[in-house]
């Protein structure tokens, strides 16, 4: 991918969340804690699912991929933001900016399609329980994952290639904490009409397809739940979807607020709203899925107990080596 079209600037300046110097250290501490909690929470979810044979089913398979995508998603954005909090220059090269934009779009789209795959899994489990094993088999899960990954990479490549064709000559200050598409487009001197049309057609379709899939799945689930005679059965069945619905609401609610609007109306409020789906949602996902899921709680407890026993074994071995026989 050539960089010759990004003329006059070899780098951009990321304005960040605040231009006040007194805010930088407190923001650094806040987002460092959030990032570490995100990493630890998602990695624990990933390890718990991989190490517990009782969690080896399609729902937890997609949840483990979602946790991995969330780790990558935040790692694309937060480390550079943390560096800029403590830096005077707050610069990012054009190549780094395009790379950050590309992988942000990749993992953001993967999150969207994985949430849709999880909705399909819930629908099959509740509405077609006797056919669940044959429908949601290993081949089906791998095909859904392959489609999610391939489409996300191709979609992101299209947008980044279009941005790479623009010229930037008026200002190199990006009014955001990372290289998001809209703030970068606002700096372009050349026409962004093609970018905007693609964003409102292909880009909107890429978000709406999984969202519509989720809506249809839950409408069918709702019909199935309403047909259950007992109130206890209704609550128990629908409670299995509560964690997923919470994550979907957080993710799509914030994304629709930021992106379903004209480029000219993009403001600082959108920068704050972006924090919800880029930083807060990946941090909250492990808590939402573990606190509302008995199987996940049990898996995490088993993992933590296994880690503790290994630590105790290592410490005992170390003491024996020091003290001797």
């Amino acid at each position: 991918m050539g960089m010759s079209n990004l003329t006059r600037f070899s780098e951009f300046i990321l304005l960040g969340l605040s231009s006040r110097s007194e805010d930088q250290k407190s923001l650094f501490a806040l987002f460092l804690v959030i990032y570490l909690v995100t990493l630890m929470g998602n990695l624990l979810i990933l390890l718990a699912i991989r190490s517990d044979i009782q969690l080896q089913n399609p729902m937890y398979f997609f949840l483990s991929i979602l946790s991995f995508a969330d780790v990558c998603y935040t790692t694309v954005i937060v480390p550079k933001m943390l560096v800029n909090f403590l830096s005077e220059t707050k610069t990012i090269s054009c190549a780094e900016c395009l790379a950050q934009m590309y992988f942000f779009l990749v993992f953001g789209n993967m999150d969207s399609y994985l949430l849709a795959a999880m909705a399909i899994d819930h629908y099959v489990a509740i509405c077609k329980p006797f056919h669940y094993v044959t429908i949601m088999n290993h081949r089906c899960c791998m095909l859904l994952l392959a489609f999610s990954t391939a489409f996300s990479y191709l979609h992101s490549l299209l947008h980044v290639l279009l941005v790479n064709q623009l010229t930037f000559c008026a200002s190199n200050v990006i009014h955001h904490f990372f290289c998001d598409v809209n703030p970068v487009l606002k700096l372009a001197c050349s026409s962004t009409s093609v970018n905007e049309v693609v964003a409102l057609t292909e880009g909107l379709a890429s978000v709406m397809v999984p969202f519509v899939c989720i809506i249809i799945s839950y409408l069918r689930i709702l019909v199935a739940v309403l047909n259950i005679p007992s109130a206890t059965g209704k609550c128990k069945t629908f409670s299995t979807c509560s964690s997923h619905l919470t994550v979907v609401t957080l993710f799509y609610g914030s994304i629709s607020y930021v992106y379903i609007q004209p480029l000219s109306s993009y403001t600082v409020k959108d920068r704050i709203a972006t924090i919800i789906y880029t930083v807060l949602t990946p941090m909250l996902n492990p808590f939402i899925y573990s606190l509302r899921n008995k199987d996940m709680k049990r898996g995490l407890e088993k993992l933590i107990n296994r880690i503790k026993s290994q630590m105790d074994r290592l410490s005992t071995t170390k003491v024996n080596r020091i003290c001797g026989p």
Side-chain angles (χ1 to χ4, degrees):
M1 188 184 298
M3 301 303 298
S4 58
N5 290 320
L6 286 150
T7 56
R8 303 201 184 181
F9 296 127
S10 60
E11 60 188 18
F12 290 105
I13 297 171
L14 291 168
L15 194 62
L17 294 173
S18 173
S19 57
R20 295 170 50 181
S21 57
E22 58 268 27
D23 295 336
Q24 303 305 305
K25 289 185 178 179
S26 57
L27 286 171
F28 172 84
L30 173 63
F31 282 94
L32 177 62
V33 170
I34 290 174
Y35 182 56
L36 293 175
V37 170
T38 301
L39 290 182
M40 186 177 297
N42 283 288
L43 288 175
L44 279 173
I45 292 285
L46 193 59
L47 289 171
I49 292 171
R50 294 299 181 190
S51 62
D52 191 343
I53 195 169
Q54 292 183 333
L55 298 178
Q56 303 298 309
N57 60 53
M59 181 176 72
Y60 295 110
F61 168 75
F62 289 122
L63 178 56
S64 66
I65 303 299
L66 181 68
S67 293
F68 173 76
D70 281 344
V71 168
C72 297
Y73 194 41
T74 53
T75 302
V76 168
I77 298 168
V78 178
K80 181 62 179 177
M81 181 168 61
L82 292 174
V83 170
N84 285 345
F85 282 140
L86 302 181
S87 172
E88 293 293 330
T89 56
K90 305 182 187 300
T91 58
I92 184 170
S93 71
C94 292
E96 288 177 326
C97 187
L98 287 180
Q100 188 182 60
M101 184 186 297
Y102 176 70
F103 287 107
F104 160 72
L105 291 171
V106 166
F107 293 113
N109 275 275
M110 278 189 68
D111 268 14
S112 181
Y113 279 90
L114 286 168
L115 289 172
M118 293 170 77
I120 292 171
D121 178 74
H122 283 305
Y123 158 69
V124 176
I126 293 171
C127 300
K128 300 180 183 292
F130 298 112
H131 302 284
Y132 180 80
V133 176
T134 54
I135 295 174
M136 296 303 295
N137 54 39
H138 179 73
R139 182 174 177 272
C140 177
C141 293
M142 294 310 296
L143 282 174
L144 286 171
L145 177 60
F147 174 79
S148 303
T149 305
F151 185 86
S152 298
Y153 275 92
L154 292 173
H155 162 83
S156 306
L157 184 61
L158 172 63
H159 283 276
V160 171
L161 286 174
L162 288 173
V163 170
N164 192 45
Q165 300 304 310
L166 301 174
T167 55
F168 301 88
C169 53
S171 172
N172 68 335
V173 178
I174 299 173
H175 293 265
H176 216 319
F177 55 89
F178 73 102
C179 288
D180 198 1
V181 177
N182 284 351
V184 173
L185 290 182
K186 292 190 80 170
L187 301 180
C189 295
S190 53
S191 173
T192 60
S193 57
V194 175
N195 302 72
E196 292 183 54
V197 168
V198 170
L200 288 173
T201 54
E202 188 274 341
L204 187 60
S206 71
V207 174
M208 289 308 296
V209 167
F211 183 67
V212 169
C213 183
I214 292 168
I215 294 296
I216 292 172
S217 297
Y218 274 107
L219 284 174
R220 292 185 170 233
I221 288 170
L222 182 61
V223 171
V225 169
L226 291 175
N227 288 330
I228 297 173
S230 67
T232 305
K234 289 178 181 178
C235 292
K236 186 177 180 180
T237 303
F238 205 75
S239 66
T240 60
C241 306
S242 59
S243 300
H244 184 256
L245 276 173
T246 304
V247 173
V248 166
T249 304
L250 283 171
F251 185 79
Y252 281 101
S254 53
I255 278 184
S256 60
Y257 177 83
V258 173
Y259 291 107
I260 303 179
Q261 59 177 315
L263 178 61
S264 57
S265 62
Y266 197 86
T267 64
V268 69
K269 289 182 180 179
D270 302 303
R271 196 191 321 169
I272 305 301
T274 306
I275 295 173
I276 296 174
Y277 67 87
T278 58
V279 180
L280 293 182
T281 301
M283 180 191 72
L284 293 174
N285 282 356
F287 295 100
I288 293 170
Y289 279 109
S290 60
L291 293 176
R292 294 191 174 190
N293 189 307
K294 291 181 180 179
D295 291 335
M296 200 67 246
K297 279 184 184 178
R298 179 185 46 75
L300 285 169
E301 286 174 2
K302 286 172 68 175
L303 176 65
I304 292 169
N305 289 334
R306 191 176 300 129
I307 292 171
K308 282 182 179 178
S309 64
Q310 289 178 352
M311 293 287 286
D312 291 340
R313 197 178 301 120
L314 286 172
S315 61
T316 303
T317 305
K318 189 175 179 180
V319 169
N320 290 336
R321 284 180 181 175
I322 294 171
C323 298

